[in-house]
Amino acid sequence: MIILAFDTCFSACSVGLRLPGRGGAHSISRFETMEKGHSERIVPMIDEVLAEAQVTINDVDAFAVTTGPGSFTGVRTGIAVARALALATGKPVHGTSSLHVMAVGIRQTYLEGPIAIAISTRDGLVYFQIFNGAAASPQIEPRLVMPQTAFEAMGGITHTIGGTGADSVTAVAAQQGMSLQPIAARIDANAAHLAQIAHDLPVLTPPRPLYLREPDAKPQSGMLVQRTDSKTEVSV
């Protein structure tokens, strides 16, 4: 089974192609850190891994995408590509959270115990999710919470915790006399890891973005114009 996976949620853009083989499945991938430009880079990256594998998009059996959380533009980019490829090929799309894919990457180094992912936001909150087991299976749904709430969700159990919000949650834990196992703050979802678990993920029909917060950009108030063909006022 050939699986093409991609992620554009946070500060990286990545593509992973999982290929079957006599000695077991292997993958071809691309990964680039970037704050913006995901929409311009994702399709060329897909073309690059397909060309290296010498397969076409029609050879792919299924797609996989991270549905969020992440930046609004990044999440929308990945979902749009997934929908377009599914429509063009008729192949299914599997999906999971960006935090889950981060945890799968961590599990390859930290083989025991529960894992928590905390990604900080500009307003002092964290995107947070807990995972456990050899496959880093999600134990709770992704949520946007205060560091204190994230700590309370751990239930007094020591977790390996990673992400840009790990320090804030670890600080709360220290105040409560509990030690966590923080690891590197810079953890990105890597589509190569997503491709590894895609066959066990649900099929999304259709794939939808996971938004945990309101958009930063909103229509301006007081900016109304009157339509020429009616009395209806519309916002611009």
Side-chain angles (χ1 to χ4, degrees), residues 167-187:
D167 286 347
S168 62
V169 179
T170 299
V172 173
Q175 294 172 0
Q176 303 297 322
M178 177 180 171
S179 63
L180 301 179
Q181 300 177 43
I183 59 176
R186 178 65 191 239
I187 299 173

Side-chain angles (χ1 to χ4, degrees), residues 52-136:
E52 184 174 339
Q54 297 182 352
V55 299
T56 71
I57 199 69
N58 290 318
D59 295 321
V60 175
D61 297 300
F63 303 101
V65 64
T66 46
T67 58
S71 72
F72 278 86
T73 301
V75 171
R76 286 197 301 269
T77 294
I79 294 295
V81 172
R83 288 182 175 180
L85 292 175
L87 182 63
T89 64
K91 305 297 176 61
V93 178
H94 301 258
T96 190
S97 76
S98 54
L99 308 184
H100 185 193
V101 178
M102 295 177 191
V104 171
I106 291 174
R107 178 57 83 208
Q108 296 184 1
T109 301
Y110 296 84
L111 301 179
E112 296 182 358
I115 294 170
I117 301 294
I119 304 297
S120 60
T121 68
R122 288 177 293 180
D123 51 6
L125 303 177
V126 292
Y127 292 121
F128 183 76
Q129 195 171 12
I130 294 174
F131 309 87
N132 208 345

